[in-house]
Amino acid sequence: MFTFSPAKKAISIALFSSSLAMFSHVALANSTTVTPFVPGKTVIKNGDTTSYDGVCYIAKNGPGSWETPNANSWFWTVADCSNTVEPTPVIIPTGTPTVAPTATPTAKPTLIPTSTPVDTTEFIAGKTKASNGDVVSYQGKCFIAKNNPGTWETPSTASWFWEETSCGSVATPTPVVITPTPVVITPTPAVITPTPVVITPTPAFVTVLQCGVYVTYPIDQPIPVPSCAPSPTPVVVTPTPTVATPTPPPFNGELSVTEDGSGGFLIPRAQLSSIETELTSGELFDLIRADAVTLDNESVEAVEPLRLANPENVLRVESVIDSELWEFLFPIRNEAYTYRRFLQAIAKFPAFCRTYEDGRNSEEICKRSLATMFAHFTQETGAHAPGWEGAKGNPEWRQGLYYVREMYKQETDTTGPYNACSGWQGDRWPCQGKSYFGRGAKQLSWNYNYGPFSEAMFGDKMVLLKNPELVADTWLNLASAVFFYVYPQPPKPSMLHVIDGTWQPNAADKAAGIEHGFGATIQIINGAFECNKGTTSNQAKSRIAYYKEFSNYLNLDITGEKLDCADMKPFNTDGAGALMINWDKDWGWNANTPANHSFKCKLAPYQTAYSAWSAGDYEMCVEDNFNVQATDENGVIIPKGE
C-alpha cells in the first residue's frame, strides 16, 4: 500500500481582535466618490471606497479584484454611503484638429560588445547535457549548472539546479537618430461613464481535431491548415503496465527446467514470459494499463501555459483552471507549486481529464477530478490556520499547498521513520543515505514508494532513491499526487475509476457501505484512520468541507453524492476493485520438476518486491525464489537484469 503522511498540524497562532473592525461603520468625508464593485474586474487599493449590494465599504489589506465585499471580511470596513457622490459622465468636446509638434531627433543606444562573451552552450531540453559548473544560455539569459541538472531541468532563476550569471558582455551605446513623423490627431466626442459594464461572455477559443489531436485556436483568428507531421505520443514506462512485444505464444505444457551444474536451474525466458502474460490478462488489468500510460518526459518538459500544442488533456484543464484561478485557489501556496508544474503533472498522465468516447461527460469528470484532488491537497498540505496573519485573510479551503516538505523535516536528514532499509523493501528499493519523508502535494513517503514512482517517471528506481528532493523541487511535486490518483491500491480501486464511473460497486462493496462519491476517495487515501468510526472524523469533516467549496466554485452539482465515510468498512478482496498486482513465491508441488518445486510465482494481495505492472518482474520473482537463470531461444543464459 502507498502511504502518505500529512505535512500539517497547524501551529498555534493568536487570532486577530477583529470584532470592532468587523462590525463598525466608518463615516465618509464629504463628496467621497464610490466605485461600484464588480468581482474579478474592479481593482481596489487600500483606502478606496466601493459599493456592493447597496452597502459601501472602505478597502484594507489589499483585497484586489476577487475578494467580494462583506461586513465580516478581513479586507473591508463597512462605511456610510450618505456622504458619497456617484460619478457622472464626462464629455470630451469636439476640438479643432491639431498637429503634434515635430520632436527633436533623439539617440537610441545600440549595444556593442567590447569584451569576449563567456563560453556558453544553448540549452535544449532533453538534449543538452549540463555538468556542474557548465554555463548555458536559455531564453536570453545565462546560467551556471549546479546539483547535476542533467538534460531535463530547464534553467530558471528559481531552480535548485541553476544559478543565473552574467553572459560576460559589456555594451557601449552607439547613437541611432530617430526622426518622428508629425501625427495629426482629430478628437471626436466621447462619453465616458465610469459605471459597471455587464459583459456577456462569449467563447474566446475554438477547439478542432487536427492530425488526431484536439487543438485550440482563438476564435477571432483563422484556423490554419495543419501539416500532420509525426508528434510525440504517450509511451509506457516501467512500472507503468506494459505488454511484451511480440506476445509469447500461449504456454500450456510443462516447464522445461534443467539443472545448470552449479546447484541452480535453467528455464527458457519464452516460457516465463508466456506465463506472465497469461496471468496478467483480463478486462480490469487492461483498463488499468490504459489509464496508467504516461507521456515521455521531453514532451512533458515542453508544456507551457497557453501553448496551442499542449496535449489534449492539458488544454481541457487549462479551460477549467487558468493561471489566474490557480493563484486565487492557492494564494499562499509554496512557490515550488507553480501553475506550469501543475500543467506538466497533468500532461504526464494522459488519462487524467481525457476525452471519454462512450457518452460520459468529459468536462464534468475533469472538474470532479480536480475538485477531489484539490480537497485532498488542502487536507494534506494546507496551513489550516484561518486566523493566522500569514494566511492573509484567506479562508481555510484556499490555504492548500502551503507545505512542500513534511513539517520539521529538511533535506540534510539522512535517516528517519520512513526508511525501510532492511528486508525485501531494502533489497528492492535500497536506501541511499537520504530520508524518505513526506514531499509534494500528496506527501509521498517511504523508500518503497519513492522507488516505484521513480520507475514510473524515469524508468529507473535509483533516480528518486538518490534524489528524493526532486519530489519537492520539480513538477514531480504535483505529478506524485496525480500518480496516486490514477494507480489503484488493491483491493482498493483507483480514485480515477471511482470518480469517472469505471468502478461500479458490487454486492460486497455495498455491504461494506462503499458507494460512488467523494467518501470512497477518503477511504482510499486514509480509510484506516478516518473512516468506519460511526461518526465523521475531524479529518474527514475537513476534506468534505473543502470538496464542497471547490465543487461550488467549479459549478459542480454534488447533490445526492455520498461524501462521508463514517459507515464505510475497508475495501476487501471480494469488491469490484480487487485485483492482485504483486508476485510472490508459489509454494505448490510439481512431480515433474527437480526437487518437485513449482518453479512458479503467483499473484498476491499484498505488496512484495515484484510488481505485476513491471514487465519482467515475474521472471525476477522465479529467479530469486528458485535459484533460476533464464535462457534465450538458443539455450544461452541471459544475464540477470537484461
Side-chain angles (χ1 to χ4, degrees), residues 311-323 325-326 339 342-347 349 352-354 363 366-367 369-370 373-374 554:
E312 174 196 0
N313 66 322
V314 175
L315 294 174
R316 174 169 284 112
V317 169
E318 286 186 280
S319 72
V320 177
I321 307 291
D322 59 18
S323 59
L325 185 53
W326 178 257
Y339 180 63
F342 166 62
L343 297 181
Q344 289 173 318
I346 299 299
F349 298 92
F352 190 94
C353 282
R354 71 174 182 265
E363 292 294 323
C366 182
K367 289 183 177 182
S369 295
L370 291 168
M373 281 213 316
F374 289 175
L554 296 178

Side-chain angles (χ1 to χ4, degrees), residues 215-531:
V215 182
T216 301
Y217 296 98
I219 200 168
D220 57 352
Q221 295 183 12
I223 298 176
V225 178
S227 174
C228 294
S231 59
T233 56
V235 299
V236 179
V237 298
T238 307
T240 302
T242 57
V243 179
T245 304
T247 302
F251 175 69
N252 299 316
E254 289 290 338
L255 281 171
S256 302
V257 184
T258 58
E259 298 185 29
D260 65 1
S262 301
F265 305 93
L266 305 175
I267 300 178
R269 170 171 283 180
Q271 294 183 5
L272 296 172
S273 298
S274 179
I275 295 172
E276 179 180 26
T277 300
E278 179 183 356
L279 293 177
T280 56
S281 296
E283 182 180 3
L284 190 51
F285 264 108
D286 293 342
L287 284 171
I288 296 172
R289 281 193 184 95
D291 288 344
V293 168
T294 58
L295 189 67
D296 65 277
N297 285 347
E298 184 174 2
S299 298
V300 171
E301 291 286 350
V303 169
E304 295 273 2
L306 301 178
R307 175 175 170 263
L308 293 180
N310 281 342
E312 174 196 0
N313 66 322
V314 175
L315 294 174
R316 174 169 284 112
V317 169
E318 286 186 280
S319 72
V320 177
I321 307 291
D322 59 18
S323 59
E324 187 175 4
L325 185 53
W326 178 257
E327 296 287 338
F328 174 75
L329 295 177
F330 302 102
I332 63 170
R333 70 185 185 280
N334 186 285
E335 62 182 9
Y337 297 117
T338 67
Y339 180 63
R340 183 190 178 202
R341 287 174 177 169
F342 166 62
L343 297 181
Q344 289 173 318
I346 299 299
K348 185 65 180 177
F349 298 92
F352 190 94
C353 282
R354 71 174 182 265
T355 297
Y356 292 84
E357 299 179 352
D358 56 5
R360 283 181 282 182
N361 189 324
S362 303
E363 292 294 323
E364 182 178 344
I365 292 172
C366 182
K367 289 183 177 182
R368 200 171 296 274
S369 295
L370 291 168
T372 300
M373 281 213 316
F374 289 175
H376 294 314
F377 282 178
T378 305
Q379 176 63 19
E380 301 294 335
T381 62
H384 302 291
W388 174 41
E389 184 178 1
K392 302 177 182 177
N394 293 296
E396 195 169 335
W397 71 277
R398 288 172 51 213
Q399 294 178 20
L401 301 179
Y402 182 76
Y403 294 101
V404 72
R405 289 175 176 83
E406 186 175 343
M407 284 184 69
Y408 312 119
K409 303 294 183 183
Q410 47 194 335
E411 296 300 343
T412 54
D413 295 343
T414 57
T415 60
Y418 309 113
N419 289 24
C421 302
S422 59
W424 68 262
Q425 296 100 327
D427 292 339
R428 183 72 169 89
W429 318 110
C431 299
Q432 300 295 305
K434 298 296 183 77
S435 180
Y436 303 101
F437 56 79
R439 296 176 177 88
K442 289 300 296 173
Q443 293 293 282
L444 187 69
S445 308
W446 296 97
N447 53 308
Y448 53 76
N449 288 326
Y450 276 82
F453 181 53
S454 184
E455 286 187 336
M457 298 297 96
F458 302 102
D460 181 356
K461 66 183 179 184
M462 298 308 296
V463 174
L464 295 181
L465 289 174
K466 290 182 176 179
N467 306 282
E469 64 276 3
L470 295 179
V471 180
D473 297 332
T474 70
W475 53 266
L476 298 176
N477 57 22
L478 290 156
S480 56
V482 186
F483 172 81
F484 185 70
Y485 185 85
V486 302
Y487 269 84
Q489 301 174 68
K492 305 173 184 178
S494 70
M495 283 191 282
L496 173 62
H497 281 182
V498 169
I499 296 301
D500 73 5
T502 299
W503 171 79
Q504 293 292 329
N506 63 13
D509 293 316
K510 292 177 181 178
I514 306 171
E515 301 175 13
H516 275 299
F518 182 73
T521 70
I522 303 176
Q523 177 65 264
I524 290 172
I525 285 180
N526 204 24
F529 296 97
E530 300 182 25
C531 300

Side-chain angles (χ1 to χ4, degrees), residues 558-571:
I558 59 175
T559 304
E561 181 177 342
K562 186 168 184 177
L563 305 180
D564 204 350
C565 64
D567 64 342
M568 283 188 188
K569 296 179 175 63
F571 287 90

Side-chain angles (χ1 to χ4, degrees), residues 134-146 154-168:
D134 290 350
V135 180
V136 302
S137 61
Y138 185 72
Q139 294 185 346
K141 297 181 179 180
C142 291
F143 300 85
I144 298 176
K146 62 180 182 178
T154 52
S156 74
T157 54
S159 174
W160 185 70
F161 298 96
W162 300 97
E163 182 176 328
E164 188 173 355
T165 185
S166 169
C167 291

